[in-house]
Amino acid sequence: MIRVSIVEDDPGVRGELAARLARAEELVIHGVFASAEEAARGLAQARPDVVLVDIQLPGKSGIDLIREWHPRLPDARFMVLTTFDDDDLVFSALQAGAMGYLLKRSLPGELANAIRELQSGGSPMSSGISRLLVKLVQQGSPAPSIGLAPREQELLDHLACGRSYKECADRMRCSLDTVRTHIRRLYEKLHVHSRHEAIAKTTGPAGSSSKRAIPLSR
């Protein structure tokens, strides 16, 4: 079973999320909190596998909560649920330690699968967020090659498009284990620990010479 905690200040949304996930297979609710401060008092005891966090909370923000608790719960995976698709908020959340980012308007039928994907090592993102990341990557200026193998470069392209590990395996016509091997080698070469760090590291301001990016398309 996947233990899920919810941090959401809107009581209606909070109740709907808890009720929906309680009916989903393989998921069990371990803590429902109305603020970052309330979550800080309960997350250690709840010991969730996945934490769903709204960004706009009373008091501390959801990003502050992720930044503070990501190191304290190293085995937990944090996923943002929000109405905001602002690029600064997206990257702030990812840099704080979020491994997934879903817009609330895209939730019906998607959330339970996204939680399972997150727990299995993926990084689920709403299609709009994936397009935003791709756009930011494409705006980055090119950098010298760091010696990525062709299959590693191909995998990086797929990750930048927000595809799951299974989707990467299907498109690359290989097994999930092979994808995971490529990912491990890719992360070692980039000195990162997640797809979002890889994308952020290969993204730079257009025209910038001080922060150059590795091209993601061939």
Side-chain angles (χ1 to χ4, degrees):
M1 300 295 286
I2 302 173
R3 302 183 300 273
V4 181
S5 291
I6 300 170
V7 187
E8 165 63 58
D9 64 310
D10 186 301
V13 174
R14 190 168 64 245
E16 181 183 352
L17 287 173
R20 183 185 303 167
L21 295 178
R23 296 191 298 267
E25 294 182 3
E26 302 177 357
L27 306 184
V28 58
I29 301 299
H30 268 232
V32 179
F33 310 105
S35 67
E37 290 79 8
E38 187 177 319
R41 294 190 294 269
L43 282 176
Q45 182 176 355
R47 305 299 297 179
D49 299 306
V50 172
V51 185
L52 307 180
V53 184
D54 185 18
I55 284 183
Q56 193 173 43
L57 296 170
K60 287 185 177 180
S61 71
I63 293 174
D64 290 334
L65 174 68
I66 295 170
R67 184 178 295 112
E68 179 180 352
W69 278 89
H70 178 251
R72 297 186 184 184
L73 297 175
D75 295 329
R77 294 167 173 84
F78 290 80
M79 180 159 62
V80 170
L81 294 178
T82 185
T83 58
F84 302 102
D85 57 359
D86 177 86
D87 54 355
D88 288 336
L89 289 177
V90 171
F91 273 96
S92 292
L94 301 182
Q95 289 169 350
M99 299 296 292
Y101 199 110
L102 293 185
L103 298 178
K104 289 180 179 178
R105 61 176 177 264
S106 64
L107 282 182
E110 183 179 351
L111 181 56
N113 288 335
I115 290 172
R116 296 186 188 100
E117 179 185 345
L118 188 67
Q119 179 65 8
S120 66
S123 297
M125 291 182 287
S126 297
S127 58
I129 300 301
S130 297
R131 287 193 296 270
L132 172 63
L133 291 177
V134 170
K135 179 181 178 181
L136 292 173
V137 167
Q138 291 173 342
Q139 290 175 345
S141 53
S145 170
I146 59 169
L148 294 184
R151 294 290 269 178
E152 293 166 350
Q153 182 67 64
E154 181 182 357
L155 176 59
L156 189 54
D157 291 345
H158 292 313
L159 294 177
C161 290
R163 296 189 176 107
S164 68
Y165 289 0
K166 184 179 184 304
E167 289 172 329
C168 291
D170 290 343
R171 287 175 177 266
M172 296 173 68
R173 299 182 183 277
C174 64
S175 69
L176 274 174
D177 286 340
T178 299
V179 166
R180 292 189 179 103
T181 297
H182 287 316
I183 286 174
R184 184 175 65 253
R185 292 173 180 168
L186 174 65
Y187 289 0
E188 287 174 355
K189 289 182 179 181
L190 293 176
H191 303 290
V192 298
H193 300 91
S194 73
R195 89 159 63 193
H196 300 311
E197 290 181 9
I199 293 171
K201 190 165 186 175
T202 56
T203 304
S208 169
S209 60
S210 61
K211 187 177 181 181
R212 296 181 294 179
I214 302 164
L216 293 191
S217 58
R218 302 192 304 276

